[in-house]
Structure formats: structure tokens, C-alpha cells
Amino acid sequence: MFGARCLVRALRPCSSAPCPRHKPSARLSVRDALGAQNTKGERVKVQGWIRSVRSQKEVLFLHINDGSSLESLQVVADSSFDSRELAFGSSVEVQGQLVKSPSKKQDVELKAEKIEVVGNCDAKAFPFKYKERHPLEYLRQYPHLRCRTNALGSILRVRSEATNAIHSFFKDCGFVHIHTPIITSNDCEGAGELFQVEPSSKIKVPEKNFFSVPAFLTVSGQLHLEVMSGAFTQVFTFGPTFRAENSQSRRHLAEFYMVEAEISFVESLQDLMQVMEGLFKTATMTVLSNCPEDVELCHKFIAPGQKIRTYAKKQLFNWGVDLHTEHEKYLVKHCGNIPVFVINYPLALKPFYMRDNEDGPQHTVAAVDLLVPGVGELFGGSLREERYHFLEPRLARSGLTEAYQWYLDLRRFGSVPHGGFGMGFERYLQCILGIDNIKDVIPFPRFTHSCIL
């Protein structure tokens, strides 16, 4: 086995490597170039795609972007560099001196000494045109190209920053990250909207299951996190989940990402709600701090009037029928268009794993949803039923005792009060950016009758 010491030795830089005689141009991202403090003619190399070309009699201006920032880097070159290959969408490598710009529109610019066209782009055939603001519905027709637009670039940078912020929040709070399986034999929601996993027809064995039991794409990592919460007091997962919902609405995807957490020794919804609120606020403040230009673009051109605030918290106690989207949005609007916690739902409306409140005629469970403006339900969580004598009859009434014997075992061997929640990641992005259609906040949307690429 390749031991740790051997690995460290292998990673050490080789001292016998020859040093180059001439220092090559430092490779910079557009973001780093724009933020450079030293602009005294340092030679650098920038690679990216042309966003605009402007040719004058003696000077050529290019704007280069590599996806690292919304703002592009201005390249100034002698007119002798001008050619038909330097067109909108072409990929280039530019070497030159990074200098202070005389223009007030940018702090720095790249004075080109060498421009190499890496890949040509036929601007006339390219579906996106320079200076034309295409609607998101139009961009959806080109899932292989839409990431090159400012709108999708900003959304995807925010998505990346939000992902990092969520991981940082859980790490800072002492959570252990668990990779829950994508293939499972459990249906956590009990809704029956599952994708079944089978081998392709070439290797399928008739009348036999590959896993010996029916297997499905996961709809939630909750039950696996509950297993792990018997050994780690705080766990979370962040990964893809799947629902076979026959819907093309603005709210539904067949594949989407869920942030889920489980916490042991939690005995009140208030404790759970504090973690939910902390995650929402911390991730949002991080995104607003690190991606201000991207968020502003979404609010200005995609969702005018959208504002993000640090919210106060309100509680509503609802009794009766289940809440639908229109009810959720009404509650949020009624409370002043701020996030609202709704707690203690009727037991009959919720899954078997939620803790019985033992509250007489109402008979509720310790469940909580966080409703937010424009989206409705963003978080859903509950205290889990850790008492064997409560859980066993509920499973029996649903005919699930045999399938969930392992779940009962968790209550037999060192059970503790615990609870958890899940947050739809795409819905979170819709909330903070004001994006109306969930298909526009995920790189490659999958929904009924659509699986492009």
C-alpha cells in the first residue's frame, strides 16, 4: 500500500528540475486581473472568450471574459492585430502588459503584445447576439450554450458561491458531511413518485432484480442520515434527488439538489428552527457579500424590484387541510412578505417518522415548514419519532413493519431524541435571486419529456 509518508515524499517538488531562463507570462484569470494591485506593466497571460470587438483606425479594443467574473477585461491592441477571426464568441489567449487604464470605466486594461485565436466562432450562426438581452425562455433552447451568457453566468456563479457557503456553515457548526446513496430501496416520502433503477436490456436478467430487491433513485437522504445520527450528533448531506412527477410547471424538476441535516439530542422545534434560520441567513449574507454584481444583475434585469433583507421571524399555527402553494404564498404575503415558520401539522397529513405531539383532539406532529416570498415552502423539517412504542403501531397501520424493521432497530439500540430538515437548493436560489422558473437556476434541467444532453 502507498503509505502516507510515501505520498508526502511524492508530492514534494523536485529540486533537480531545471529553471527556465526567461520568466513566462503569469497566467491570470479575468477576476484576478481586474483586481490586480500591481499594474506597473507586469506581463501576464489571459485566456477566455471575446464578448465584444471594437476596431478603430489605430487601436483595437476587445473585451475578454473567462467566467470568473461578470465584468470583462478590456484588451487594447494595435490595429494590426485586427482580423475576421477576432469575433464575438471566439476563444483567445492574450499576452501583454497589465497597466492602469486611462478610462474611468475600468481600473486596469491589458496592453496586448500577442493575441492567439484558440477557437473560431461564427458570430452570424451563433444563437446569442452581442448587446442583445435574450429572455431566459429563449436561452433554455440551448442548454449547451446558455452558460456563456451574462444571465446564466451570474446565476451559476451564485450557485457555486451558495454551495460553498452551505458547506462552510455546516463545517463551522461541527456537522459531519455524509455521502448518502443515490440508489436506494427506501421511499422516504411515501408518495410513490419514484424512478426505478434497472439494468439496460442488454444485460437484464428476466424476472430478477439486480439488487435482489426493487431499487430506486433517491427522493431524500433523510433516512440514511438518521442512521448516521446514531453515531454522529450532527450530520448533513448535499446532493441530487429525484422525483418522477409528470409536471412541466415552473416549480418542478425531475432532478434537483437537496440540503438535508439531522441533529441528535434535539427535543424542541425551536432548536431545529434556529439551525434552519442560521443556515438561510448565513448562506444568503455570504452570497450577497461575495457576488454583489451577479446578484444585482439578476435583480435588475431578471427580477426587477427583488430585495434581500435580514428577516424577522414569525410563527403561525395552522389546523385543517394540507397547505398548497397558493396557501403558502398567501400566508407569506399576509405576514408582510417575510419568511414565515408554520409548525405543528395534523398527524394524518404527515409521514410516519414525525414525532407525535400527544396534544389531544387536534393530534398534531412536531413538524415545521419555512415559507418564503415568491417560492412558498423552502425548508421542511420535524422532530423524529424516537419512541419505539409510538413508531411501531404507525408502521404496522401502514403495512411497513417488515420493510422498516431496520428503522425500528434504531429505536431499540440507543435511541435519542433527534430531528432534521431539508432545503430545496434550487428553490433557495429562486428565493434570493427572484428567478421565476426553477429550470433557470440549474445547469441542465431535467423534467418530464425533456432530458437534453
Side-chain angles (χ1 to χ4, degrees), residues 300-322:
K300 185 175 181 180
F301 297 113
I302 301 176
Q306 179 78 0
K307 299 294 181 182
I308 298 295
R309 298 172 291 172
T310 300
Y311 297 108
K313 180 172 58 179
K314 293 190 178 182
Q315 295 184 21
L316 285 181
F317 293 83
N318 184 276
W319 171 251
V321 297
D322 201 3

Side-chain angles (χ1 to χ4, degrees), residues 63-80:
H63 281 90
I64 308 298
N65 194 283
D66 63 356
S68 60
S69 73
L70 176 61
E71 185 181 355
S72 296
L73 175 66
Q74 177 169 280
V75 175
V76 182
D78 188 89
S79 58
S80 61

Side-chain angles (χ1 to χ4, degrees), residues 17 33 93 104-105 114 184 222 268 303 305 307 327 355 363 374 406 441-442 445:
E93 178 178 291
K104 295 181 180 180
K105 294 182 179 180
K114 179 182 178 182
T184 178
Q222 177 203 317
S268 75
K307 299 294 181 182
H327 304 137
R355 197 178 199 277
H363 208 179
W406 64 269
V441 294
I442 191 168

Side-chain angles (χ1 to χ4, degrees), residues 39-113:
T39 56
K40 298 180 180 179
E42 179 187 3
R43 280 182 167 76
V44 300
K45 175 169 63 178
V46 175
Q47 299 160 322
W49 292 266
I50 297 176
R51 286 295 175 87
S52 70
V53 183
R54 182 163 54 92
S55 181
Q56 296 183 354
K57 187 176 181 180
E58 297 181 353
V59 183
L60 176 69
F61 294 96
L62 303 176
H63 281 90
I64 308 298
N65 194 283
D66 63 356
S68 60
S69 73
L70 176 61
E71 185 181 355
S72 296
L73 175 66
Q74 177 169 280
V75 175
V76 182
D78 188 89
S79 58
S80 61
F81 282 104
D82 195 9
S83 79
R84 292 183 178 180
E85 292 182 331
L86 293 176
F88 173 66
S90 295
S91 56
V92 294
E93 178 178 291
V94 182
Q95 297 185 45
Q97 292 180 310
L98 197 62
V99 298
K100 183 175 178 60
S101 176
S103 173
K104 295 181 180 180
K105 294 182 179 180
Q106 62 273 327
D107 294 328
V108 298
E109 61 187 24
L110 182 58
K111 187 176 180 181
E113 298 172 348

Side-chain angles (χ1 to χ4, degrees), residues 55 69 97 113 118 137 139 159 210 293 315 318 320 369 424:
S55 181
S69 73
Q97 292 180 310
E113 298 172 348
V118 179
E137 293 80 5
L139 301 185
R159 185 184 176 101
F210 182 86
E293 298 88 359
Q315 295 184 21
N318 184 276
D369 287 340

